[in-house]
Amino acid sequence: MNNNWSKYVQGANTLYYSRKLRFDDSFSKQFINAFGIETDKELKILEIGCGPGALAGALKRWYPKAEITGVDLDSAFIEFAKENEKGVTFLEGDATKLPFEDETFDVTISNTVSEHIEPGAFFGEQKRVLKKGGVCLVLSARKGYRQKSEFERETEFEENFWKKVSAFDDSMERFSVGKYAMNEKQLPRTMQEMGFMKISTAYAVSNLTPDNEENSKETAISMINANRHNDLDAIKSVWDTMPEHAAKEEIEEMMRLANEKYDRRIQKYLSGEKEWDTTVSITMIARGVKENEHEKR
């Protein structure tokens, strides 16, 4: 069993609930337009590095006639995905050694995966499993905006806790997090160098502001709780990765403080008081096509 990413880098709750919001149907038009894939066509779509399954679930809603497969190296993510997203096939697998035959899929898609894998292996495997004329979609997070609520200010206890443990956190280096990150110019250029054709780029913006009147109560609370999951997973990761540097009592107090903050934020929302905290997420979508035989030079 491999659960390095879910245990030491980002927890399943953090990824799942934040991505459920980012790929909510209210933002679907932006993604569907950028993907350039017919929504009513029978396709075989592979998500590489699917994590806990939120994007794969969105793809199943947006492309109801498609056969969606998600693959990830992390066993905990795959288990979580199978429990929470139905109608999708989830498998454990390595993005650099995909467990599929040549020319199996019409579309490959990934979200914040290219940053962590050597480009030759990452794109080479996708070219191998894509059919001729197949589409490769690479999604990557770009710098967005985060305005916290007044309840998210750190107490002195929290500041001291994070200052202490950050000195011992080597997870980014240990797991090559972001080692192969590319900017907005480098990503499409790399796809071109790897032999993909008809390269295009687009950007999707997800505005996650609980106090927007257009949001339902359920959606607004989900936005608040997505930040809660992120904080709780980060605290849990400290206990999993460096228990020698954090006492159990410290972890419990950090958990209590985090839950208290978000409970207060939800209560303020339910009382009708506007806080206008927000997270603006920007996703870059790079699109390329595997050449057909007649297109080869």
Side-chain angles (χ1 to χ4, degrees):
M1 175 179 284
N2 183 328
N3 63 349
N4 286 339
W5 198 275
S6 59
K7 188 173 183 179
Y8 301 121
V9 183
Q10 289 175 303
N13 286 325
T14 294
L15 286 184
Y16 184 72
Y17 291 107
S18 63
R19 290 179 179 181
K20 283 282 284 186
L21 292 168
R22 191 178 310 154
F23 300 116
D24 185 81
D25 289 346
S26 61
F27 306 121
S28 62
K29 187 175 181 180
Q30 299 177 82
F31 290 104
I32 290 172
N33 288 342
F35 294 169
I37 302 167
E38 296 179 48
T39 56
D40 61 349
K41 192 174 181 180
E42 294 183 359
L43 300 168
K44 295 187 72 174
I45 301 176
L46 172 66
E47 185 189 356
I48 298 167
C50 64
L55 174 55
L59 293 172
K60 189 60 183 176
R61 297 193 305 274
W62 302 344
Y63 303 94
K65 293 185 179 180
E67 178 183 323
I68 313 295
T69 302
V71 62
D72 200 285
L73 192 61
D74 193 293
S75 307
F77 284 158
I78 293 300
E79 182 179 348
F80 188 103
K82 287 180 178 179
E83 292 177 357
N84 289 276
E85 293 293 343
K86 305 305 178 183
V88 177
T89 300
F90 292 105
L91 304 169
E92 288 184 43
D94 189 337
T96 65
K97 297 176 183 177
L98 292 170
F100 306 105
E101 298 293 329
D102 295 357
E103 300 185 8
T104 298
F105 296 95
D106 301 286
V107 180
T108 58
I109 184 170
S110 61
N111 176 51
T112 63
V113 178
S114 62
E115 297 86 341
H116 318 300
I117 302 175
E118 190 278 319
F122 178 72
F123 287 108
E125 272 294 88
Q126 291 185 69
K127 284 193 71 176
R128 182 183 68 78
V129 301
L130 273 172
K131 298 175 183 178
K132 293 179 176 65
V135 175
C136 173
L137 298 167
V138 181
L139 281 60
S140 60
R142 298 293 141 174
K143 186 177 181 180
Y145 182 76
R146 175 87 168 93
Q147 179 63 53
K148 295 183 178 183
S149 76
E150 65 176 77
F151 300 114
E152 293 178 76
R153 295 174 184 170
E154 290 186 342
T155 64
E156 184 178 355
F157 180 87
E158 289 170 308
E159 289 179 356
N160 290 334
F161 175 86
W162 289 119
K163 183 178 180 179
K164 179 181 70 171
V165 300
S166 63
F168 304 101
D169 184 10
D170 65 348
S171 58
M172 301 291 279
E173 296 79 15
R174 197 187 341 167
F175 300 107
S176 300
V177 178
K179 182 177 180 180
Y180 301 99
M182 291 176 273
N183 63 31
E184 294 81 357
K185 182 177 180 179
Q186 292 167 333
L187 179 54
R189 177 176 287 176
T190 298
M191 292 183 72
Q192 185 175 19
E193 292 171 351
M194 293 296 168
F196 287 96
M197 305 178 66
K198 302 177 182 177
I199 310 295
S200 63
T201 62
Y203 296 85
V205 179
S206 303
N207 174 13
L208 307 177
T209 306
D211 289 327
N212 273 352
E213 292 293 340
E214 62 188 29
N215 293 324
S216 67
K217 181 173 73 173
E218 179 183 13
T219 297
I221 292 176
S222 293
M223 291 177 181
I224 297 168
N225 279 331
N227 293 321
R228 183 202 301 262
H229 289 305
N230 179 77
D231 288 3
L232 293 178
D233 276 354
I235 298 165
K236 183 177 182 297
S237 180
V238 172
W239 182 247
D240 288 335
T241 58
M242 54 183 93
E244 68 276 17
H245 299 297
K248 182 180 179 181
E249 293 75 17
E250 289 181 291
I251 298 295
E252 291 175 345
E253 177 63 8
M254 288 293 292
M255 292 282 194
R256 186 192 68 79
L257 289 169
N259 279 314
E260 182 181 77
K261 289 179 183 181
Y262 293 107
D263 287 345
R264 291 171 62 198
R265 175 64 185 98
I266 289 173
Q267 286 303 313
K268 185 166 185 177
Y269 168 79
L270 293 174
S271 71
E273 297 181 68
K274 301 288 189 179
E275 182 71 22
W276 293 111
D277 47 320
T278 186
T279 299
V280 177
S281 171
I282 301 175
T283 303
M284 178 181 181
I285 303 111
R287 183 185 191 277
V289 178
K290 178 178 175 178
E291 62 187 356
N292 282 304
E293 289 295 329
H294 71 274
E295 292 175 320
K296 290 185 177 181
R297 295 180 180 176

